Structures are given as structure tokens and as C-alpha cells.
Amino acid sequence: MSLTKTDKTIIVTIWNKIAPQADSIGTETLERLFASYPQTKTYFPHFDLSHGSAQLHGHGTKVVNAIGDAVKSIDNISSALSKLSELHAYILRVDPVNFKLLSHTFLVTVAARFPADFTAEAHAAWDKFLSIVSSVLTEKYR
Amino acid sequence: MVHFTAEEKNAITTTWGKVNVEETGGEALGRLLVVYPWTQRFFDSFGNLSSASAILGNPKVKAHGKKVLTSFGDAVKNLDNLKATFSKLSELHCDKLHVDPENFRLLGNILVICLAEHFGKDFTPEVQAAWQKLVAGVATALAHKYH
């Protein structure tokens, strides 16, 4: 699976729209993840995951900023996320199934906030993009 | 077996009451075919599926989407008994339609995204969680009779 020129244009356009709300999108994405998939909380025993928590906000920001980095280096996501890829493989070791869950709750968040922009084409391009990001993050797992 | 709390049932039925089944059904099925093009394998007889706009405007897609989502309505009315409710449909999807149950999960998540689009802020994390439980329950019920 690789991104077409059209995919890339759509992805960047949507990113520019959502970037001003990056922080709160990140927080909401994580809240949705923990609400719908409580098992994902097992990776955060050290966090206060309650609504409004500073740790939740901080981590959400981190996650969405990383997505933004991938958008900005959309022609070389592998290289842009190389350090994060190592982090996930050797330190965090989040089971790969969870990347799909996070991608989903990110898309739900964007769909809820930007219904007019989140067309079927945008949905398809972003689903593809997040799937590629997930692959990059798990590519060093074994 | 899936168990829904009173709050979850309330969240689901309240949302469902405001859903335009015809429109949302067509949209959900259409998006499935756009976002996961390999799912088009089940719909060779549907005619033009060559682009996103062709798919979303396709009358057969809309009609079938309506049928599928109407059937979902049965789930909403029978939250405590999903397996029995979908028993016959499960046999149909296995024996006649030969649909990989993974497709039920894909469609379920697309439906959740469509609901998020329609309801925006009202589709809170808690409401979403109730719906994720429902779509997972329906997917499991539809796969239950597979052999």
C-alpha cells in the first residue's frame, strides 16, 4: 500500500485544517481510545487518565504532533519516524493491534469535528496514511 | 455474550432514534467500498463503482446500504439477544454470501465514523464506546453460525 499523489494532497490539506486543534484532537483521540478499548489503558498504569488530566493532554499532544511530522515528511515517513519506530520496538513494545485502534479513534475525532471536510476520499486517504504510519512504527518489532 | 449497561442502552437507543437509516446506510456502505476497495468483491452486480462519487451515488449501493442498516435496527431492539436475532442472517452470510466476518468489523467501524460525522460533539467518547460494543456484538453474532 502506498500513497498516490492525490492521497498526499488530500492528507496535507486535511492536516492544515486540523492542525490548529492538534492538542485537543490528541487528547480526545486518547479519551476515545481508553473509553472504547479499556485494555489499552494497560500501557499507562503510571498515568492519570481522568478527563482533564495534564498527562493525558501532554501525551495526546505528543501523539498528534508525531502524526504531523509524518505528514510534513510524507514522502519519507520511514525516515521521519525512525526514532519513534525504535522507541516502540525496543522500549514501549505496544502490541501492533493497538495501532489500528488508535488510528480508528483518531479518525472518529476528526470526523466529529470536521464533518464537511471528512469526505469519503479524505477518509480513505487518511485511513491509508495511518496504516502506513502504523507499519513504520512496528517495522522494527522483529 | 455482550452485556449492555442501562446507560449504554440509553446512549444507543437515543442515537438510533435520530439516525436517518436510508441516508446513513447508503453512506456507510459507500464508504466501506471507497475506504476498503477490496470489499467491492461482493458487489460485482452493482454496476459503476469506479470512483468515490460513482460509489456514493450508485442507487444499488444506497438501496443495499439501507437494507443493511435497517437490519441493524433489529440489533438495537434486541440488545440482550444479538446471537438469536442474527442467527438466520449469520447462516446466510456464511453459506450463501461467503462473506469473511472481518468485513462485519470493517463496516461496524465505518458506521461509527458516520455517526461521529452526523452527531459531532454529541457523539461523546462514552456514546462511541457503547456503539463500539454494539458493532462488535453484531459482528460476532453474524459470525456465530459460521462453520
Side-chain angles (χ1 to χ4, degrees):
Chain A
M1 264 194 287
S2 60
L3 298 170
T4 65
K5 251 203 224 143
T6 313
D7 287 333
K8 292 179 188 181
T9 307
I10 293 172
I11 289 161
V12 171
T13 304
I14 296 282
W15 174 257
N16 289 334
K17 271 234 153 78
I18 73 181
Q21 294 181 31
D23 285 13
S24 65
I25 287 174
T27 308
E28 188 181 324
T29 295
L30 289 179
E31 283 182 329
R32 286 182 183 280
L33 182 73
F34 299 135
S36 282
Y37 310 109
Q39 69 274 18
T40 55
K41 293 189 287 188
T42 57
Y43 291 98
F44 300 94
H46 53 301
F47 265 28
D48 168 11
L49 295 178
S50 58
H51 182 72
S53 130
Q55 284 177 310
L56 195 60
H57 178 87
H59 197 69
T61 302
K62 222 186 230 181
V63 169
V64 174
N65 284 344
I67 291 174
D69 288 343
V71 174
K72 285 171 208 132
S73 298
I74 203 163
D75 290 319
N76 200 348
I77 298 172
S78 220
S79 138
L81 298 187
S82 174
K83 283 251 145 20
L84 268 181
S85 180
E86 284 170 9
L87 180 74
H88 282 78
Y90 307 128
I91 316 287
L92 302 177
R93 292 168 290 184
V94 173
D95 191 285
V97 71
N98 294 289
F99 293 95
K100 272 200 181 158
L101 304 181
L102 183 69
S103 299
H104 175 64
T105 60
F106 178 84
L107 294 181
V108 170
T109 303
V110 172
R113 290 174 179 229
F114 301 92
D117 299 293
F118 201 64
T119 61
E121 290 94 330
H123 181 168
W126 268 86
D127 190 283
K128 229 170 144 183
F129 172 67
L130 291 174
S131 161
I132 291 169
V133 169
S134 302
S135 292
V136 166
L137 289 175
T138 55
E139 78 192 352
K140 299 174 186 174
Y141 270 39
R142 57 176 171 173
Chain B
M1 209 196 75
V2 189
H3 174 77
F4 296 91
T5 65
E7 291 81 14
E8 286 165 344
K9 288 185 181 181
N10 189 43
I12 289 166
T13 52
T14 304
T15 310
W16 188 252
K18 300 179 198 149
V19 168
N20 178 327
V21 171
E22 175 162 8
E23 223 178 75
T24 305
E27 203 191 320
L29 184 63
R31 280 196 183 230
L32 180 75
L33 300 174
V34 170
V35 178
Y36 308 112
W38 54 93
T39 58
Q40 292 169 25
R41 69 190 297 285
F42 301 107
F43 302 105
D44 278 340
S45 63
F46 273 27
N48 187 4
L49 299 179
S50 60
S51 69
S53 51
I55 290 170
L56 294 165
N58 184 312
K60 286 190 171 176
V61 171
K62 289 186 188 185
H64 195 68
K66 179 182 176 187
K67 194 189 218 181
V68 169
L69 203 61
T70 301
S71 170
F72 219 88
D74 288 341
V76 176
K77 290 191 210 98
N78 293 281
L79 292 173
D80 290 324
N81 209 358
L82 294 177
K83 291 213 165 95
T85 304
F86 287 100
S87 178
K88 283 256 145 10
L89 270 178
S90 179
E91 286 171 7
L92 179 77
H93 281 75
C94 174
D95 301 330
K96 296 267 147 54
L97 303 178
H98 312 292
V99 177
D100 177 349
E102 178 59 22
N103 292 284
F104 308 143
R105 284 167 212 115
L106 292 180
L107 183 62
N109 278 338
I110 296 263
L111 176 62
V112 166
I113 287 178
C114 288
L115 293 176
E117 257 198 300
H118 281 264
F119 294 105
K121 263 216 282 267
D122 290 342
F123 197 65
T124 63
E126 292 74 22
V127 172
Q128 179 190 349
W131 274 90
Q132 296 291 169
K133 235 171 142 176
L134 175 58
V135 302
V138 171
T140 302
L142 277 172
H144 187 68
K145 285 298 185 60
Y146 272 56
H147 60 96

